[in-house]
Amino acid sequence: MNEVVVIGLGQLGRVFAGGLLRAGRTVVPVNRGDDMAAVAQRHPAPELVLIAVAEADLHAILAALPDAWKPRAALIQNELLPRDWEAHGYADPTVISVWFEKKKGTDAKPLIASPAAGPGAALLCQALAAIDLPCREVSPGGALLFELVRKNVYILTTNIAGLKTGGTVSQLWAQHETFARQVANEVMDIQDALTGVVHDRNALIAGMLEAFDGDPDHGCTGRSAPARLARALQHADAFGLGVPALRSLAG
């Protein structure tokens, strides 16, 4: 029971693996192309199965995860919502909203404390604390949902608005607040539709600004920004949402 399986040893997966090792766990890696069923036969009862693959690969992994591992699943992806794991029959996975950045050749840089919920939340917080990354436990359900939506609002607003403005998150708010609020409100329209919950928009904006303050020089856009805009528009179309500010960026 001191084993933790880590599926995906990219930038984030390696950070968690290092923390878990420092926390006294044996890490069992699963790399792309490995036979998960064969690994599960050799390691049938790990303490946790951390799924650290990219967003685009998550659903395939959730569908293929060996049955013995499913109750131990832990998720770390961006743009994550309960509908993602519920679609595959997962009832109560461990989930962490990651608020640190890890790029190749640099140490992990935290913005704010990463909230974690579920059966393995304490272990993930212990692992991150072991490598000096802040983490806090939150309750499953509404508290976790708010944190997931908060992260989505941050990522989608900065990435999508940044397609027009460029610059840093502090510049986005200081120089383009009206436009950033338009984008954020349309992102929140989509999040409300995806979750079936009307969220507290003032609280979400305050949560986004807290993260801005945590790393004011964080760049707004990255390679994923066009794909995030495309996904947002697909969701908007599915729910019949106008989202004019987002559509104006699609060209």
Side-chain angles (χ1 to χ4, degrees):
M1 286 297 292
N2 68 343
E3 291 184 336
V4 175
V5 173
V6 179
I7 302 174
L9 274 297
Q11 296 295 323
L12 290 185
R14 291 201 294 272
V15 171
F16 278 97
L20 288 161
L21 289 169
R22 287 288 296 272
R25 296 328 192 258
T26 298
V27 173
V28 178
V30 177
N31 292 299
R32 188 181 297 274
D34 288 351
D35 185 340
M36 285 196 297
V39 179
Q41 285 184 337
R42 297 192 298 272
H43 306 276
E47 187 173 354
L48 201 66
V49 178
L50 182 65
I51 301 173
V53 299
E55 295 99 300
D57 298 322
L58 175 62
H59 285 276
I61 295 294
L62 290 176
L65 202 70
D67 288 342
W69 285 358
K70 288 182 178 179
R72 300 170 169 85
L75 311 178
I76 69 171
Q77 287 68 27
N78 288 325
E79 295 190 57
L80 188 66
L81 289 172
R83 58 186 267 142
D84 294 303
W85 62 79
E86 289 169 355
H88 298 278
Y90 291 73
D92 184 27
T94 297
V95 178
I96 183 167
S97 180
V98 174
W99 281 101
F100 59 83
E101 183 181 38
K102 176 66 177 76
K103 292 185 177 179
K104 188 175 182 180
T106 64
D107 290 334
K109 180 181 181 180
L111 282 70
I112 58 176
S114 297
L123 173 56
L124 290 183
C125 284
Q126 180 187 357
L128 291 181
I131 52 174
D132 300 320
L133 291 173
C135 181
R136 60 190 175 90
E137 289 189 60
V138 299
S139 300
L144 172 62
L145 179 61
F146 175 84
E147 294 296 343
L148 293 175
V149 172
R150 172 193 189 186
K151 181 70 181 295
N152 291 349
V153 171
Y154 171 87
I155 291 175
L156 292 168
T157 299
T158 57
N159 275 204
I160 292 172
L163 289 170
K164 177 179 178 180
T165 66
T168 66
V169 296
S170 60
Q171 291 169 337
L172 174 66
W173 203 250
Q175 301 172 17
H176 309 282
E177 180 181 342
T178 298
F179 176 65
R181 284 187 180 274
Q182 290 174 338
V183 172
N185 273 305
E186 293 180 8
V187 167
M188 288 185 282
D189 287 342
I190 294 170
Q191 295 296 304
D192 286 356
L194 288 170
T195 60
V197 175
V198 177
H199 293 91
D200 183 335
R201 298 198 172 197
N202 290 331
L204 289 171
I205 292 292
M208 181 176 73
L209 294 180
E210 181 187 359
F212 283 10
D213 290 341
D215 185 7
D217 295 327
H218 192 91
C220 285
T221 57
R223 292 176 301 171
S224 301
R228 294 196 195 284
L229 174 59
R231 278 195 298 273
L233 290 175
Q234 288 172 358
H235 292 316
D237 289 343
F239 290 101
L241 301 173
V243 295
L246 269 58
R247 294 190 191 280
S248 72
L249 297 171

